[in-house]
Amino acid sequence: MLFSTVLFGLMAVVIRLASKTQHPFEIAFFRNLFGLLFTLPLLFKHGPGLLKTSKLPLYLLRCAIGTVGMLAGFWAIVHLPLAQAVAISYSTPLFVTIGAVWVLGETVRARRWAAVLIGFIGVIILLHPDADTFTGASLVALLAAVMSASVAISIKFLTRTESPDAIVVFTTALWVPMSLVPALLFWQTPSGITWLWLLLAGLFGTVAHMCWTRALQLGDASILTPISFMQVLVVGVFGWWLFDESVDRYTLIGALIIFGSNLYLAHREITRAKPAVTDPEIFSDTLQR
């Protein structure tokens, strides 16, 4: 999880570096294109049978939502301080909890609703409610979080019949053409060191996702969640070092509130799951879902 956290942070950094010459939508396309190349070993490992599925419509819906979320997320990384953009993205579990009630019919009791409400107070603080500091880019980052939550809900459906490796390969493959269309509207052929930043974005993003999935298979989400929040620290340091950014009080206070809310939600989820699942392999699969 620590390795995944650092790599996701580095991906945000190289996205910002690439944005000096490329539009965020174009960066998203190349991240998916190079990411697909790095997922090919999964296809070689499992063979063509990995691509057999009866859930193609759900894959298409999941990837369409994911594409919107990715484009919004990349745009926010380029137009917001890195630490603020990443901190807002951690509001995703709050929206997942709401979606789990509406879409999956899960039962959420008073204490979890209280944690969600407290988390949204942190989100409001992160959005910089002061008229002098508020920026529309914060709403774009929030849109990315909502779309990511929708993707998480769709993955819960897919993992009932699909393997994690199949989801990774299908998702990345569909993201390439879906992200190409908006990229063409702002196309400018990369050159020089920009190619390196785009390649690293694909590499960091793909390996980070694989490490994150593996971490959830090996350990409790309540233990891993605090580690994942170190991404805010990683991008904060690089933002200060490379882009002369600073972490203001809104970002710090809002991130800490969201962190506490997510930590409680993760703890409650594990507490709820443990009595019902005793087989270690089944429990690991439940965590991954």
Side-chain angles (χ1 to χ4, degrees):
M1 180 60 81
L2 180 59
F3 192 43
S4 169
T5 296
V6 172
L7 288 178
F8 274 130
L10 291 177
M11 184 184 73
V13 172
V14 295
I15 287 171
R16 175 66 70 81
L17 291 171
S19 70
K20 293 180 179 180
T21 59
Q22 311 302 132
H23 191 276
F25 292 179
E26 192 176 355
I27 298 173
F29 164 70
F30 279 108
R31 177 261 180 269
N32 293 328
L33 179 63
F34 289 125
L36 179 60
L37 296 179
F38 293 118
T39 61
L40 290 180
L42 295 177
L43 186 59
F44 294 146
K45 175 183 177 182
H46 297 283
L50 185 68
L51 299 179
K52 293 182 180 179
T53 181
S54 60
K55 304 293 185 181
L56 186 58
L58 185 54
Y59 272 114
L60 290 171
L61 176 62
R62 175 252 191 274
C63 291
I65 296 172
T67 298
V68 174
M70 179 179 292
L71 296 178
F74 278 40
W75 196 91
I77 287 174
V78 171
H79 292 89
L80 283 174
L82 286 176
Q84 183 186 0
V86 170
I88 292 175
S89 74
Y90 278 100
S91 64
T92 294
L94 308 178
F95 294 107
V96 170
T97 300
I98 296 173
V101 174
W102 288 350
V103 180
L104 300 178
E106 293 185 4
T107 300
V108 176
R109 304 192 184 280
R111 283 184 290 181
R112 289 178 68 192
W113 279 124
V116 170
L117 179 60
I118 292 172
F120 277 118
I121 293 175
V123 172
I124 293 173
I125 295 174
L126 268 174
L127 294 181
H128 288 202
D130 189 284
D132 295 329
T133 57
F134 176 78
T135 170
S138 299
L139 296 179
V140 176
L142 193 61
L143 171 64
V146 173
M147 294 296 100
S148 296
S150 302
V151 168
I153 297 297
S154 69
I155 289 177
K156 287 199 173 190
F157 283 106
L158 284 172
T159 52
R160 292 171 180 172
T161 58
E162 309 292 296
S163 73
D165 287 351
I167 294 174
V168 170
V169 173
F170 258 112
T171 297
T172 310
L174 290 173
W175 270 345
V176 172
M178 288 184 178
S179 59
L180 174 61
V181 175
L184 290 175
L185 300 176
F186 305 93
W187 189 266
Q188 182 176 341
T189 303
S191 61
I193 198 172
T194 301
W195 281 112
L196 175 61
W197 306 140
L198 296 173
L199 177 66
L200 290 177
L203 175 62
F204 292 157
T206 301
V207 177
H209 187 264
M210 292 178 178
C211 291
W212 174 76
T213 303
R214 182 61 175 165
L216 291 181
Q217 288 179 326
L218 297 174
D220 289 358
S222 58
I223 297 175
L224 297 173
T225 297
I227 300 175
S228 71
F229 270 84
M230 288 186 65
Q231 184 182 348
V232 178
L233 176 61
V234 172
V235 297
V237 170
F238 276 98
W240 166 78
W241 179 37
L242 296 176
F243 311 113
D244 197 27
E245 297 178 351
S246 59
V247 179
D248 60 24
R249 65 182 184 276
Y250 290 116
T251 300
L252 181 60
I253 296 173
L256 289 175
I257 293 175
I258 294 175
F259 168 76
S261 174
N262 281 349
L263 186 60
Y264 179 79
L265 289 173
H267 172 72
R268 291 296 300 170
E269 185 67 21
I270 296 301
T271 302
R272 185 175 64 90
K274 277 183 176 178
V277 184
T278 57
D279 186 288
E281 293 185 2
I282 298 177
F283 182 53
S284 295
D285 182 62
T286 302
L287 287 178
Q288 187 174 347
R289 294 182 185 181

